[in-house]
Amino acid sequence: MNPNDFRRHGHEMVEWIANYLETVRDRRVLPDVKPGEVFDRLPTHAPDTAEPFEQIMQDFEAQILSGSTLWNHPRFFSYFAISSTPPSILAEFLAAAINQNGILWKSGPALTELEQVTLGWLREWLGLPPEYFGIMYDTASVSTLHALIAARQFVVPDTRRHGARHDLVVYTSDQAHSSIEKGALALGFGEDNVRKIATDENFAIRLDLLEAAIQKDLTEGRVPCCVVACVGATPTASVDPISQVITLARHYGMWIHVDAAYAGPAAMLPECAPHFAGWDHADSIVMNPQKCPKSGC
Ligand SMILES: *Cc1c(COP(=O)(O)O)cnc(C)c1O
């Protein structure tokens, strides 16, 4: 595609996107397709020759859009909000155009420093102290996986040389997101070493049961490694007693990770701050900036 054709199709595409955003309300939220239908409509083999751009756009509307769940539809009330506001769509244009790789500082100096600066802004909005250093991940799940790696390294510093042990235990509640157990499984903690502690009538972790589980593991020769406490559990938006969990976990020498993936953005609201009291003493925190809870706190 030469620069002039790019210009022409680029303008057409901006028109298409603007029209889509204007009329998305008139479309269905859920597509009218059965499993396998889109797959069957698509060619089995890749085309041998290029197709005109107009054809590609027609296919996009007929085959792809018609088979897409519209997350930015005003009546989409499932899961979470998405971040494709008009400014962020335009930002994607620019990001794609210069397509940076942040492997090293030198491979993308501005990218690397922009990440640090903007995560510093986010940290300030969340009311977290300057000791917190931010990293942008593709998902909260990968962030929690990395927190569990840090926890293991913290509790057993020679893990890096000797590999994983099988007596380390991760504690969380029965309301916890599946990413915590998934991360523990991926790292080889083992299903038997993930404790999902029962919760109280507000779906917050029960401290007495947490401590009893820790005591039992110690008696049986296992090593408490990490507590993952939650501010804003996905099913109920419940909040664990963060300060008490941290005090307890510190007493047993554990790493504390706070999963605030869902409710984290609410920390920016002064009226929600009490729900986050004490989280600034955690060893690691994960939050999804785009996941603004739709209900109040
Ligand atoms: C959504 C959610 C996650 C996982 O987020 P991903 O970015 O999809 O990996 C983890 N924890 C909580 C509490 C969540 O609500």
Side-chain angles (χ1 to χ4, degrees):
M1 191 179 279
N2 64 43
N4 269 334
D5 286 347
F6 177 82
R7 241 179 225 109
R8 188 161 57 84
H9 297 312
H11 287 299
E12 287 165 11
M13 194 169 275
V14 169
E15 279 299 318
W16 188 94
I17 294 171
N19 284 334
Y20 168 76
L21 293 174
E22 245 167 20
T23 59
V24 60
R25 172 182 291 277
D26 305 326
R27 298 173 186 269
R28 294 172 59 116
V29 177
L30 271 181
D32 186 17
V33 286
K34 294 184 180 52
E37 203 174 313
V38 178
F39 187 97
D40 288 341
R41 279 195 224 140
L42 298 175
T44 311
H45 304 289
D48 287 327
T49 53
E51 290 183 344
F53 196 74
E54 289 72 18
Q55 183 62 51
I56 292 172
M57 279 310 283
Q58 271 177 27
D59 284 348
F60 169 72
E61 290 204 32
Q63 319 294 354
I64 305 303
L65 187 65
S66 71
S68 296
T69 301
L70 302 185
W71 281 62
N72 52 2
H73 194 293
R75 298 193 70 79
F76 179 93
F77 295 125
S78 188
Y79 307 108
F80 309 98
I82 54 163
S83 52
S84 63
T85 57
S88 68
I89 296 170
L90 294 175
E92 295 274 349
F93 270 53
L94 296 180
I98 64 170
N99 211 341
Q100 294 291 286
N101 271 303
I103 307 167
L104 305 165
W105 177 85
K106 199 176 179 183
S107 70
L111 169 79
T112 308
E113 295 179 16
L114 180 69
E115 180 188 14
Q116 290 174 7
V117 170
T118 51
L119 287 175
W121 296 346
L122 184 62
R123 179 186 58 68
E124 277 191 353
W125 288 335
L126 296 170
L128 291 170
E131 294 80 55
Y132 279 89
F133 178 84
I135 305 176
M136 215 174 275
Y137 287 102
D138 52 352
T139 59
S141 304
V142 169
S143 169
T144 290
L145 176 90
H146 287 191
L148 290 172
I149 295 172
R152 188 170 66 181
Q153 193 64 31
F154 170 72
V155 172
V156 188
D158 63 7
T159 301
R160 188 182 171 123
R161 289 184 56 218
H162 299 311
R165 287 173 26 174
H166 301 292
D167 55 356
L168 304 179
V169 187
V170 176
Y171 304 84
T172 191
S173 87
D174 61 12
Q175 297 297 303
H177 190 268
S178 56
S179 58
I180 295 153
E181 182 167 36
K182 203 188 274 182
L185 294 183
L187 292 172
F189 279 85
E191 216 166 11
D192 289 348
N193 293 325
V194 179
R195 306 270 171 273
K196 295 176 195 161
I197 307 297
T199 46
D200 63 18
E201 68 281 5
N202 295 318
F203 302 104
I205 194 166
R206 276 189 49 187
L207 291 163
D208 56 330
L209 297 182
L210 173 60
E211 181 146 34
I214 295 169
Q215 290 284 0
K216 181 163 188 282
D217 283 321
L218 284 170
T219 311
E220 293 171 4
R222 285 179 291 268
V223 180
C225 177
C226 185
V227 174
V228 183
C230 193
V231 182
T234 319
T236 57
S238 60
V239 178
D240 288 333
I242 297 298
S243 291
Q244 289 100 308
V245 170
I246 291 178
T247 306
L248 186 63
R250 286 267 173 270
H251 179 73
Y252 290 100
M254 281 187 273
W255 181 278
I256 300 113
H257 178 57
V258 170
D259 182 359
Y262 177 32
M268 297 180 203
L269 304 173
E271 66 272 28
C272 293
H275 294 301
F276 295 85
W279 76 324
D280 51 334
H281 290 99
D283 296 299
S284 54
I285 295 174
V286 58
M287 59 92 66
N288 276 3
Q290 85 284 8
K291 259 192 194 178
C292 300
K294 285 181 181 166
S295 54
C297 48

